[in-house]
mmCIF file of all heavy atoms in Angstrom:
data_model
loop_
_atom_site.group_PDB
_atom_site.id
_atom_site.type_symbol
_atom_site.label_atom_id
_atom_site.label_comp_id
_atom_site.label_asym_id
_atom_site.label_seq_id
_atom_site.Cartn_x
_atom_site.Cartn_y
_atom_site.Cartn_z
ATOM 1 N N GLY B 8 1.695 -12.593 -11.829
ATOM 2 C CA GLY B 8 2.602 -12.897 -10.733
ATOM 3 C C GLY B 8 3.339 -14.210 -10.951
ATOM 4 O O GLY B 8 2.913 -15.070 -11.728
ATOM 5 N N LEU B 9 4.435 -14.327 -10.268
ATOM 6 C CA LEU B 9 5.263 -15.520 -10.315
ATOM 7 C C LEU B 9 4.463 -16.749 -9.911
ATOM 8 O O LEU B 9 3.684 -16.706 -8.953
ATOM 9 C CB LEU B 9 6.448 -15.323 -9.367
ATOM 10 C CG LEU B 9 7.474 -16.428 -9.260
ATOM 11 C CD1 LEU B 9 8.235 -16.568 -10.570
ATOM 12 C CD2 LEU B 9 8.438 -16.119 -8.120
ATOM 13 N N LYS B 10 4.648 -17.843 -10.643
ATOM 14 C CA LYS B 10 4.038 -19.127 -10.291
ATOM 15 C C LYS B 10 5.143 -20.015 -9.725
ATOM 16 O O LYS B 10 6.262 -20.034 -10.241
ATOM 17 C CB LYS B 10 3.413 -19.800 -11.519
ATOM 18 C CG LYS B 10 2.403 -18.942 -12.266
ATOM 19 C CD LYS B 10 1.146 -18.700 -11.468
ATOM 20 C CE LYS B 10 0.031 -18.104 -12.285
ATOM 21 N NZ LYS B 10 -0.003 -16.676 -12.386
ATOM 22 N N VAL B 11 4.850 -20.730 -8.664
ATOM 23 C CA VAL B 11 5.833 -21.616 -8.047
ATOM 24 C C VAL B 11 5.273 -23.037 -8.023
ATOM 25 O O VAL B 11 4.107 -23.240 -7.684
ATOM 26 C CB VAL B 11 6.217 -21.148 -6.628
ATOM 27 C CG1 VAL B 11 6.996 -19.861 -6.673
ATOM 28 C CG2 VAL B 11 5.012 -21.004 -5.751
ATOM 29 N N PRO B 12 6.093 -24.028 -8.394
ATOM 30 C CA PRO B 12 5.595 -25.396 -8.471
ATOM 31 C C PRO B 12 5.455 -26.090 -7.109
ATOM 32 O O PRO B 12 4.692 -27.033 -6.968
ATOM 33 C CB PRO B 12 6.644 -26.099 -9.335
ATOM 34 C CG PRO B 12 7.894 -25.318 -9.126
ATOM 35 C CD PRO B 12 7.456 -23.895 -8.886
ATOM 36 N N GLU B 13 6.177 -25.623 -6.118
ATOM 37 C CA GLU B 13 6.190 -26.261 -4.787
ATOM 38 C C GLU B 13 6.011 -25.182 -3.721
ATOM 39 O O GLU B 13 6.388 -24.032 -3.934
ATOM 40 C CB GLU B 13 7.537 -26.943 -4.554
ATOM 41 C CG GLU B 13 7.931 -27.952 -5.605
ATOM 42 C CD GLU B 13 7.293 -29.303 -5.364
ATOM 43 O OE1 GLU B 13 7.026 -29.636 -4.202
ATOM 44 O OE2 GLU B 13 7.051 -30.023 -6.356
ATOM 45 N N PRO B 14 5.465 -25.541 -2.546
ATOM 46 C CA PRO B 14 5.406 -24.563 -1.447
ATOM 47 C C PRO B 14 6.815 -24.078 -1.093
ATOM 48 O O PRO B 14 7.780 -24.830 -1.175
ATOM 49 C CB PRO B 14 4.808 -25.361 -0.291
ATOM 50 C CG PRO B 14 4.110 -26.513 -0.937
ATOM 51 C CD PRO B 14 4.889 -26.821 -2.195
ATOM 52 N N VAL B 15 6.926 -22.811 -0.738
ATOM 53 C CA VAL B 15 8.212 -22.244 -0.347
ATOM 54 C C VAL B 15 8.117 -21.741 1.085
ATOM 55 O O VAL B 15 7.039 -21.400 1.564
ATOM 56 C CB VAL B 15 8.650 -21.093 -1.288
ATOM 57 C CG1 VAL B 15 8.934 -21.616 -2.680
ATOM 58 C CG2 VAL B 15 7.612 -20.005 -1.340
ATOM 59 N N PRO B 16 9.245 -21.685 1.788
ATOM 60 C CA PRO B 16 9.205 -21.212 3.178
ATOM 61 C C PRO B 16 8.807 -19.749 3.283
ATOM 62 O O PRO B 16 8.959 -18.981 2.334
ATOM 63 C CB PRO B 16 10.635 -21.407 3.672
ATOM 64 C CG PRO B 16 11.436 -21.891 2.527
ATOM 65 C CD PRO B 16 10.554 -22.063 1.343
ATOM 66 N N VAL B 17 8.323 -19.371 4.445
ATOM 67 C CA VAL B 17 8.004 -17.981 4.738
ATOM 68 C C VAL B 17 9.305 -17.187 4.744
ATOM 69 O O VAL B 17 10.342 -17.673 5.149
ATOM 70 C CB VAL B 17 7.295 -17.888 6.111
ATOM 71 C CG1 VAL B 17 7.060 -16.446 6.495
ATOM 72 C CG2 VAL B 17 5.998 -18.654 6.080
ATOM 73 N N TYR B 18 9.251 -15.959 4.297
ATOM 74 C CA TYR B 18 10.436 -15.129 4.232
ATOM 75 C C TYR B 18 10.053 -13.688 4.510
ATOM 76 O O TYR B 18 8.892 -13.321 4.503
ATOM 77 C CB TYR B 18 11.106 -15.244 2.858
ATOM 78 C CG TYR B 18 10.184 -14.801 1.756
ATOM 79 C CD1 TYR B 18 10.196 -13.485 1.311
ATOM 80 C CD2 TYR B 18 9.271 -15.681 1.192
ATOM 81 C CE1 TYR B 18 9.329 -13.058 0.330
ATOM 82 C CE2 TYR B 18 8.403 -15.256 0.202
ATOM 83 C CZ TYR B 18 8.435 -13.954 -0.222
ATOM 84 O OH TYR B 18 7.572 -13.534 -1.191
ATOM 85 N N GLU B 19 11.050 -12.868 4.724
ATOM 86 C CA GLU B 19 10.837 -11.442 4.966
ATOM 87 C C GLU B 19 11.128 -10.671 3.689
ATOM 88 O O GLU B 19 12.134 -10.907 3.025
ATOM 89 C CB GLU B 19 11.769 -10.972 6.073
ATOM 90 C CG GLU B 19 11.596 -9.507 6.422
ATOM 91 C CD GLU B 19 12.509 -9.074 7.548
ATOM 92 O OE1 GLU B 19 13.101 -9.941 8.197
ATOM 93 O OE2 GLU B 19 12.624 -7.867 7.763
ATOM 94 N N ILE B 20 10.235 -9.749 3.344
ATOM 95 C CA ILE B 20 10.447 -8.905 2.172
ATOM 96 C C ILE B 20 11.250 -7.687 2.619
ATOM 97 O O ILE B 20 10.847 -6.960 3.508
ATOM 98 C CB ILE B 20 9.102 -8.458 1.560
ATOM 99 C CG1 ILE B 20 8.302 -9.675 1.108
ATOM 100 C CG2 ILE B 20 9.333 -7.496 0.402
ATOM 101 C CD1 ILE B 20 6.883 -9.349 0.706
ATOM 102 N N THR B 21 12.400 -7.480 1.991
ATOM 103 C CA THR B 21 13.242 -6.347 2.374
ATOM 104 C C THR B 21 13.240 -5.236 1.338
ATOM 105 O O THR B 21 13.617 -4.111 1.631
ATOM 106 C CB THR B 21 14.693 -6.812 2.613
ATOM 107 O OG1 THR B 21 15.176 -7.455 1.428
ATOM 108 C CG2 THR B 21 14.763 -7.783 3.792
ATOM 109 N N ASP B 22 12.845 -5.540 0.101
ATOM 110 C CA ASP B 22 12.779 -4.532 -0.956
ATOM 111 C C ASP B 22 11.492 -4.780 -1.724
ATOM 112 O O ASP B 22 11.378 -5.752 -2.456
ATOM 113 C CB ASP B 22 13.994 -4.644 -1.868
ATOM 114 C CG ASP B 22 14.138 -3.458 -2.802
ATOM 115 O OD1 ASP B 22 13.474 -2.431 -2.567
ATOM 116 O OD2 ASP B 22 14.905 -3.566 -3.766
ATOM 117 N N GLY B 23 10.499 -3.908 -1.553
ATOM 118 C CA GLY B 23 9.152 -4.193 -2.007
ATOM 119 C C GLY B 23 8.853 -4.058 -3.481
ATOM 120 O O GLY B 23 7.995 -4.743 -3.988
ATOM 121 N N ALA B 24 9.540 -3.181 -4.220
ATOM 122 C CA ALA B 24 9.119 -2.949 -5.599
ATOM 123 C C ALA B 24 10.300 -2.599 -6.490
ATOM 124 O O ALA B 24 11.235 -1.924 -6.069
ATOM 125 C CB ALA B 24 8.095 -1.817 -5.653
ATOM 126 N N PHE B 25 10.227 -3.081 -7.735
ATOM 127 C CA PHE B 25 11.164 -2.632 -8.762
ATOM 128 C C PHE B 25 10.858 -1.189 -9.129
ATOM 129 O O PHE B 25 11.747 -0.398 -9.398
ATOM 130 C CB PHE B 25 11.034 -3.491 -10.029
ATOM 131 C CG PHE B 25 11.577 -4.876 -9.890
ATOM 132 C CD1 PHE B 25 10.731 -5.970 -9.944
ATOM 133 C CD2 PHE B 25 12.937 -5.094 -9.712
ATOM 134 C CE1 PHE B 25 11.228 -7.254 -9.839
ATOM 135 C CE2 PHE B 25 13.444 -6.382 -9.601
ATOM 136 C CZ PHE B 25 12.582 -7.460 -9.664
ATOM 137 N N TRP B 26 9.575 -0.865 -9.178
ATOM 138 C CA TRP B 26 9.107 0.493 -9.489
ATOM 139 C C TRP B 26 7.696 0.652 -8.936
ATOM 140 O O TRP B 26 6.994 -0.320 -8.684
ATOM 141 C CB TRP B 26 9.150 0.770 -10.988
ATOM 142 C CG TRP B 26 8.446 -0.238 -11.852
ATOM 143 C CD1 TRP B 26 8.981 -1.342 -12.435
ATOM 144 C CD2 TRP B 26 7.055 -0.247 -12.212
ATOM 145 N NE1 TRP B 26 8.023 -2.026 -13.136
ATOM 146 C CE2 TRP B 26 6.828 -1.373 -13.017
ATOM 147 C CE3 TRP B 26 5.978 0.596 -11.934
ATOM 148 C CZ2 TRP B 26 5.582 -1.685 -13.543
ATOM 149 C CZ3 TRP B 26 4.734 0.272 -12.462
ATOM 150 C CH2 TRP B 26 4.542 -0.846 -13.264
ATOM 151 N N GLY B 27 7.289 1.880 -8.713
ATOM 152 C CA GLY B 27 5.935 2.175 -8.259
ATOM 153 C C GLY B 27 5.662 1.729 -6.833
ATOM 154 O O GLY B 27 6.555 1.679 -5.996
ATOM 155 N N HIS B 28 4.391 1.418 -6.567
ATOM 156 C CA HIS B 28 3.896 1.031 -5.238
ATOM 157 C C HIS B 28 4.177 2.102 -4.179
ATOM 158 O O HIS B 28 4.567 1.798 -3.062
ATOM 159 C CB HIS B 28 4.447 -0.322 -4.788
ATOM 160 C CG HIS B 28 3.837 -1.484 -5.500
ATOM 161 N ND1 HIS B 28 2.481 -1.641 -5.653
ATOM 162 C CD2 HIS B 28 4.397 -2.543 -6.110
ATOM 163 C CE1 HIS B 28 2.239 -2.754 -6.323
ATOM 164 N NE2 HIS B 28 3.375 -3.314 -6.625
ATOM 165 N N HIS B 29 3.957 3.351 -4.522
ATOM 166 C CA HIS B 29 4.126 4.430 -3.556
ATOM 167 C C HIS B 29 2.951 4.397 -2.578
ATOM 168 O O HIS B 29 1.797 4.311 -2.971
ATOM 169 C CB HIS B 29 4.220 5.782 -4.273
ATOM 170 C CG HIS B 29 5.356 5.807 -5.243
ATOM 171 N ND1 HIS B 29 6.677 5.827 -4.853
ATOM 172 C CD2 HIS B 29 5.362 5.776 -6.601
ATOM 173 C CE1 HIS B 29 7.449 5.811 -5.928
ATOM 174 N NE2 HIS B 29 6.680 5.786 -6.990
ATOM 175 N N PHE B 30 3.261 4.471 -1.301
ATOM 176 C CA PHE B 30 2.298 4.269 -0.216
ATOM 177 C C PHE B 30 1.517 5.528 0.135
ATOM 178 O O PHE B 30 2.062 6.623 0.165
ATOM 179 C CB PHE B 30 3.044 3.785 1.030
ATOM 180 C CG PHE B 30 2.171 3.570 2.222
ATOM 181 C CD1 PHE B 30 1.332 2.478 2.311
ATOM 182 C CD2 PHE B 30 2.176 4.484 3.272
ATOM 183 C CE1 PHE B 30 0.531 2.275 3.409
ATOM 184 C CE2 PHE B 30 1.372 4.293 4.380
ATOM 185 C CZ PHE B 30 0.545 3.189 4.443
ATOM 186 N N THR B 31 0.224 5.342 0.436
ATOM 187 C CA THR B 31 -0.647 6.373 0.995
ATOM 188 C C THR B 31 -1.277 5.809 2.259
ATOM 189 O O THR B 31 -1.854 4.707 2.208
ATOM 190 C CB THR B 31 -1.758 6.762 0.003
ATOM 191 O OG1 THR B 31 -1.174 7.231 -1.200
ATOM 192 C CG2 THR B 31 -2.668 7.828 0.585
ATOM 193 N N PRO B 32 -1.186 6.495 3.406
ATOM 194 C CA PRO B 32 -1.766 5.984 4.652
ATOM 195 C C PRO B 32 -3.287 5.809 4.523
ATOM 196 O O PRO B 32 -3.926 6.413 3.649
ATOM 197 C CB PRO B 32 -1.451 7.066 5.683
ATOM 198 C CG PRO B 32 -0.380 7.891 5.076
ATOM 199 C CD PRO B 32 -0.513 7.771 3.592
ATOM 200 N N PRO B 33 -3.876 4.986 5.405
ATOM 201 C CA PRO B 33 -5.323 4.768 5.337
ATOM 202 C C PRO B 33 -6.102 6.039 5.649
ATOM 203 O O PRO B 33 -5.617 6.924 6.349
ATOM 204 C CB PRO B 33 -5.595 3.706 6.393
ATOM 205 C CG PRO B 33 -4.448 3.779 7.329
ATOM 206 C CD PRO B 33 -3.272 4.274 6.518
ATOM 207 N N PRO B 34 -7.320 6.114 5.109
ATOM 208 C CA PRO B 34 -8.176 7.265 5.425
ATOM 209 C C PRO B 34 -8.456 7.314 6.932
ATOM 210 O O PRO B 34 -8.581 6.274 7.580
ATOM 211 C CB PRO B 34 -9.461 7.002 4.656
ATOM 212 C CG PRO B 34 -9.171 5.887 3.725
ATOM 213 C CD PRO B 34 -7.976 5.172 4.235
ATOM 214 N N GLN B 35 -8.530 8.510 7.462
ATOM 215 C CA GLN B 35 -8.857 8.690 8.875
ATOM 216 C C GLN B 35 -10.349 8.953 9.045
ATOM 217 O O GLN B 35 -10.956 9.629 8.209
ATOM 218 C CB GLN B 35 -8.039 9.859 9.464
ATOM 219 C CG GLN B 35 -6.543 9.623 9.405
ATOM 220 C CD GLN B 35 -6.125 8.393 10.163
ATOM 221 O OE1 GLN B 35 -6.487 8.175 11.306
ATOM 222 N NE2 GLN B 35 -5.355 7.537 9.501
ATOM 223 N N PRO B 36 -10.924 8.412 10.117
ATOM 224 C CA PRO B 36 -12.360 8.670 10.334
ATOM 225 C C PRO B 36 -12.645 10.150 10.518
ATOM 226 O O PRO B 36 -11.810 10.898 11.049
ATOM 227 C CB PRO B 36 -12.687 7.885 11.607
ATOM 228 C CG PRO B 36 -11.424 7.340 12.125
ATOM 229 C CD PRO B 36 -10.322 7.621 11.151
#
């Protein structure tokens, strides 16, 4: 993962992945 030398402000992620990371909902009881 990216390393950052200084703290950065909080931000909103609008585009989650270059590729992959396909979502599966949590298991149901």
